[in-house]
C-alpha cells in the first residue's frame, strides 16, 4: 500500500504507508517545489498540509507535534507553538500571520492506494 497526495492535477505516490511512523511527520516535495507536511496519526488517519510555517516562514511543520483540542486533531508548530486544526487548516491561536494573511494552512487531499485501479 502506498500513500498518495493529490497535487491539484493528479494523484502522486509519495511513499509506502509503512514508511510513515504513527505520530510523526515527514516532508514531501511535490513537482513545482510544493513542500507538504505528511502525517499519520496513531489511529491511522492521514493528514497533509503545507510544510511552511506562516509565523516563522520556515519549512518545519513536518517536525510538529500531533495532538487534539477536544475532538479536533491538531498540529503544533515546532517554532512558535501555534496550534492548527488538521480538519480545516485554521490556526486555533491567532487569526492572522505576521504578514496580515489569514493563518490557515493549505490542506492536501491524501489517501492510501492499494494498488488496485483507482475509481
Amino acid at each position: 500500500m502506498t500513500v498518495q497526495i493529490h497535487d491539484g492535477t493528479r494523484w502522486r505516490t509519495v511513499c509506502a504507508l509503512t514508511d510513515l511512523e504513527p505520530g510523526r511527520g515527514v516532508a514531501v516535495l511535490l513537482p513545482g517545489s510544493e513542500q507538504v507536511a505528511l502525517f499519520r496519526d496513531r489511529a491511522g488517519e492521514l493528514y497533509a498540509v503545507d510544510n511552511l510555517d506562516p509565523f516563522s516562514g520556515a519549512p518545519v511543520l513536518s517536525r510538529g507535534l500531533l495532538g487534539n483540542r477536544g475532538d479536533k486533531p491538531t498540529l503544533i508548530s515546532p517554532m512558535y507553538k501555534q496550534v492548527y486544526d488538521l480538519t480545516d487548516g485554521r490556526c486555533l491561536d491567532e487569526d492572522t500571520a505576521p504578514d496580515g494573511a489569514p493563518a490557515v494552512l493549505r490542506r492536501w487531499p491524501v489517501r492510501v492506494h492499494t494498488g488496485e485501479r483507482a475509481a
Side-chain angles (χ1 to χ4, degrees):
M1 289 191 284
T2 61
V3 177
Q4 295 182 330
I5 294 175
H6 198 279
D7 67 5
T9 304
R10 66 184 189 92
W11 288 101
R12 301 220 182 240
T13 298
V14 295
C15 65
L17 182 60
T18 56
D19 290 339
L20 296 177
E21 187 175 332
R24 298 202 123 172
V26 297
V28 174
L29 184 61
L30 295 178
S33 300
E34 298 274 8
Q35 288 192 33
V36 178
L38 175 61
F39 297 91
R40 180 180 180 192
D41 70 13
R42 297 195 187 280
E45 290 292 320
L46 297 174
Y47 302 96
V49 297
D50 280 336
N51 195 36
L52 190 69
D53 181 339
F55 291 89
S56 70
V60 296
L61 291 179
S62 62
R63 295 177 178 254
L65 298 173
L66 295 182
N68 60 53
R69 279 199 183 164
D71 62 346
K72 294 187 182 289
T74 59
L75 170 62
I76 304 166
S77 170
M79 294 300 286
Y80 301 126
K81 311 305 184 233
Q82 281 86 3
V83 178
Y84 297 90
D85 180 342
L86 286 171
T87 64
D88 63 13
R90 286 182 312 112
C91 179
L92 299 176
D93 300 321
E94 301 181 50
D95 292 331
T96 57
D99 65 1
V104 178
L105 300 176
R106 179 179 177 183
R107 295 179 58 242
W108 297 82
V110 60
R111 72 180 183 186
V112 174
H113 184 64
T114 61
E116 298 173 12
R117 187 171 179 193

